[in-house]
Amino acid sequence: MTRPEKSFKTAAFLATLPLLRELDRDEINRIAANTLQIEAPRGSVLFRRGDQCTGFHVVIYGQVKLSLQSPRGDEKVIELIGAGQSFGEAVMFLEKPYMVAAETLADSKLLHVARTAIFAEIDRDARLARRMIASLSMRLHHLVHDLESYTLQSGTQRIIGYLLSLIDEQEGNRVQIALSAQKNIIASRLYLTHEHFSRMLHDLVTAGLIEVNGRTIHILDRKKLSCFSDRQP
C-alpha cells in the first residue's frame, strides 16, 4: 500500500504546499526522501483513533474524512480533506496518538511526510516552524468559525452557508454545484441528522431557491438564497 517516494515529482509537489513553499531545493529533497506515497482506494482506513502519529498526510487527489465515533457507534464527521490539503500536523507536534479516524471517501493518493524529517528541517531552519504555526493557526480559526455557526445559526442557515461556499465568486446568480460528499456525510459535518438535512433541502426547494438532482444542486437565485432565513432558533 505504501512505498518510499523519492522522485522529482514528489519533491515538486511538496514544494507547492504552503507549509513548505519557502524551503530551498535541498531541504525539499531531504523531506521527499522521507516521504511515503499511499495509494488508498475508497473506504481505506488511513488510521484509527489511538494509533500513533509518525507524521502528517497530504492529499494529492481524492477525499479523506476525519471523524469521531461515539460508544454507541454514531459517527461525527469533523472535517473533509481534499486535494492539496494536509492533516495531522498538530498531533505530530504533540507526539500523541490520533484523536480521530481518517478514511478515504474516494480513490485517493496521498503522501505521508515523516515527523523525523520535518523536525530535522525545523532544527536547520526556523522558517518551516513559522509556516507550520501559521497553518495551524488558520485551522484553529476555521474551527472557531465552525463552532460559531453551529451555536448561533439554524440548520438551514448552515446548509445555505455550505452551499454558498462551493460557489466561485466569479460565477453568476444562477449556478450549478456538486456536493463534495454523500448527503449523510455532509449532514454530519454540519451537525445535522441525515433526515434534517434532507428536509431542509426540501424546504429550500419549496421556497424556489434550489433544485436537487442527486448530489447536483441547481441554485436558482444566488442572491435570494444568501438572504434567506428560515426564522428558526
Side-chain angles (χ1 to χ4, degrees), residues 132-144:
M132 289 278 185
I133 291 170
S135 176
L136 294 175
S137 298
M138 183 60 68
R139 187 157 297 174
L140 176 61
H141 174 77
H142 288 316
L143 290 173
V144 171

Side-chain angles (χ1 to χ4, degrees), residues 33-101:
N34 290 279
T35 295
L36 293 177
Q37 178 179 292
I38 303 174
E39 302 283 353
R42 178 180 177 181
S44 298
V45 177
L46 301 172
F47 54 78
R48 293 181 172 85
R49 180 171 182 168
D51 288 350
Q52 290 298 316
C53 176
T54 58
F56 71 93
H57 291 80
V58 185
V59 179
I60 300 175
Y61 64 76
Q63 189 178 49
V64 176
K65 171 184 68 178
L66 303 183
S67 64
L68 291 168
Q69 196 168 58
S70 72
R72 296 184 303 174
D74 299 325
E75 182 182 68
K76 172 64 187 79
V77 177
I78 303 300
E79 196 168 2
L80 298 175
I81 309 294
Q85 294 181 292
S86 59
F87 58 98
E89 301 95 327
V91 182
M92 176 187 74
F93 281 112
L94 290 172
E95 300 186 68
K96 290 185 176 181
Y98 288 110
M99 299 181 66
V100 299

Side-chain angles (χ1 to χ4, degrees), residues 30 39 60 103 126 136 138 142 159 177 192 199 210:
R30 284 195 294 267
E39 302 283 353
I60 300 175
E103 179 183 349
L136 294 175
M138 183 60 68
H142 288 316
I159 292 174
I177 57 177
L192 299 168
R199 178 173 60 79
I210 66 171

Side-chain angles (χ1 to χ4, degrees), residues 160-161 163-164 167-175 204 207-210 218-229:
I160 291 173
L163 295 178
L164 294 175
I167 302 174
D168 190 296
E169 291 185 2
Q170 305 303 317
E171 295 190 67
N173 195 44
R174 187 183 178 100
V175 292
L204 294 176
L209 298 171
I210 66 171
H218 300 271
I219 295 179
L220 305 179
D221 194 318
R222 178 178 175 182
K223 293 179 180 178
K224 287 184 178 179
L225 181 65
S226 65
C227 297
F228 181 80
S229 172

